Amino acid sequence: TQLSTMASRCLADLLLPSARPGAAHLSALLPHLFICRQAHTNANLQKPARFYKSANVVPTADNTGYQLMLDSKPVRTPGKKLAVMPTYPLALAVAAEWEWQKTSKPQLHTMPMMSLVAHAMDQPRPREKVIAHIMNYVHTDSACCLYEEGALARRQKRVFLPILEALRCDLGWRFVLSDSIAGSHQTDELVAGVQTWLEGLDHWHLAAVEQLTSTCKSLVLAAALIRGHVGPAEALAAARLEEDFQAEEWGRVEAGHDLDEADLRSRVFAPSLFVRLLQVR
């Protein structure tokens, strides 16, 4: 899916650490982020109309969050929890996804923000299992497992070494690089530091880190993105580094590579924006 020029520029501005988007900015921008209106076919337009007229957001009675509404009815997550979000911009983002649905059955692949909200609130797996799943990437992180010396390994070092250095300065993490097929065995100190950081995240940020880590096959990229050391476009390029290198050597598979990249883009940009909107009050 191609973003419009306007949406691309607005998204870039929105993801800058200094950006302070207002409600009007978000309301105008968000419908363009992950949903291509032109992708709706005539067949889709002939399906039954959606069961609500509009999506909106209202403050909770105790003013601790913002409830997503479809007409006058509050939205609940699949786990039956009220869809209450901590910031107005995040709630607007999710409302925009509902507002741009065209049929009676929501298209979940066009609602990455709602999926993250539901995952964070419902916590389908115990928190300790989520953290254990993320920790599985520590010794096999794509940022630390290099190819044998050559053009690809040199490109990996150009991309990943500055990111690893930023995390060392920020969090004190000293990852070990390796070109062994067995992965890169990390020190007990590093493992303990990562574990402590993950345990300190709230359920909103942990949901974003889990998706980013699984998508990028890299806790390093997830942490760097969450901590503001790289932007989503940089993280996406780093996650696709090996695939893009191979495509340069052997060519791209028509449609196949494009679809994979579009899916990866949504799964990287959505949690990036998700975390950014958690910070905007």
Side-chain angles (χ1 to χ4, degrees):
T1 301
Q2 296 292 330
L3 298 176
S4 68
T5 301
M6 181 276 291
S8 298
R9 290 174 179 170
C10 290
L11 178 57
D13 292 342
L14 180 61
L15 292 172
L16 289 173
S18 60
R20 302 290 297 179
H25 184 189
L26 287 165
S27 181
L29 167 64
L30 288 165
H32 300 278
L33 290 182
F34 305 104
I35 305 168
C36 180
R37 285 175 287 175
Q38 296 176 349
H40 295 290
T41 64
N42 291 333
N44 284 334
L45 295 175
Q46 294 170 1
K47 290 182 179 180
R50 65 190 192 187
F51 58 88
Y52 56 94
K53 292 182 179 179
S54 65
N56 56 87
V57 174
V58 298
T60 57
D62 57 3
N63 288 318
T64 59
Y66 299 88
Q67 169 68 55
L68 175 64
M69 307 286 289
L70 298 181
D71 297 331
S72 61
K73 297 179 180 179
V75 174
R76 292 181 180 270
T77 66
K80 308 303 181 183
K81 294 182 179 180
L82 290 171
V84 175
M85 283 144 278
T87 68
Y88 183 55
L90 177 58
L92 270 184
V94 179
E97 290 183 337
W98 283 93
E99 187 63 34
W100 282 88
Q101 299 302 305
K102 300 297 183 182
T103 65
S104 60
K105 184 177 181 180
Q107 303 298 304
L108 298 182
H109 67 280
T110 66
M111 307 179 75
M113 304 292 282
M114 181 64 202
S115 295
L116 280 165
V117 167
H119 191 76
M121 296 188 68
D122 291 343
Q123 300 182 55
R125 289 185 298 168
R127 180 181 175 87
E128 59 271 18
K129 289 191 175 181
V130 173
I131 292 177
H133 170 70
I134 298 173
M135 290 297 296
N136 287 334
Y137 288 88
V138 170
H139 299 293
T140 60
D141 198 293
S142 62
C144 303
C145 297
L146 308 181
Y147 271 71
E148 295 180 355
E149 191 58 38
L152 178 54
R154 289 192 294 272
R155 183 179 298 187
Q156 287 177 309
K157 290 178 181 178
R158 284 199 304 271
V159 171
F160 292 125
L161 287 182
I163 298 173
L164 291 166
E165 177 62 15
L167 290 178
R168 184 193 67 79
C169 295
D170 181 16
L171 298 171
W173 294 355
R174 297 177 182 272
F175 277 91
V176 177
L177 303 183
S178 173
D179 60 4
S180 170
I181 61 173
S184 56
H185 187 74
Q186 304 299 331
T187 65
D188 293 341
E189 180 183 4
L190 183 280
V191 171
V194 172
Q195 180 89 24
T196 299
W197 181 71
L198 290 173
E199 290 174 351
L201 297 176
D202 61 28
H203 60 285
W204 301 102
H205 287 81
L206 187 62
V209 169
E210 181 184 19
Q211 178 168 314
L212 285 167
T213 302
S214 299
T215 299
C216 299
K217 305 295 187 293
S218 173
L219 173 61
V220 167
L221 288 177
L225 192 50
I226 294 297
R227 301 290 293 181
H229 299 302
V230 296
E234 294 172 278
L236 177 64
R240 288 181 50 83
L241 187 151
E242 180 183 346
E243 184 175 356
D244 287 343
F245 181 86
Q246 299 296 345
E248 291 170 12
E249 291 288 312
W250 306 104
R252 296 173 65 88
V253 177
E254 187 175 355
H257 282 104
D258 294 337
L259 290 174
D260 289 344
E261 184 174 356
D263 178 64
L264 190 65
R265 178 182 297 275
S266 176
R267 293 183 59 79
V268 169
F269 272 68
S272 304
L273 181 58
F274 183 81
V275 169
R276 178 71 190 93
L277 296 183
L278 285 171
Q279 301 167 353
V280 182
R281 300 289 177 174

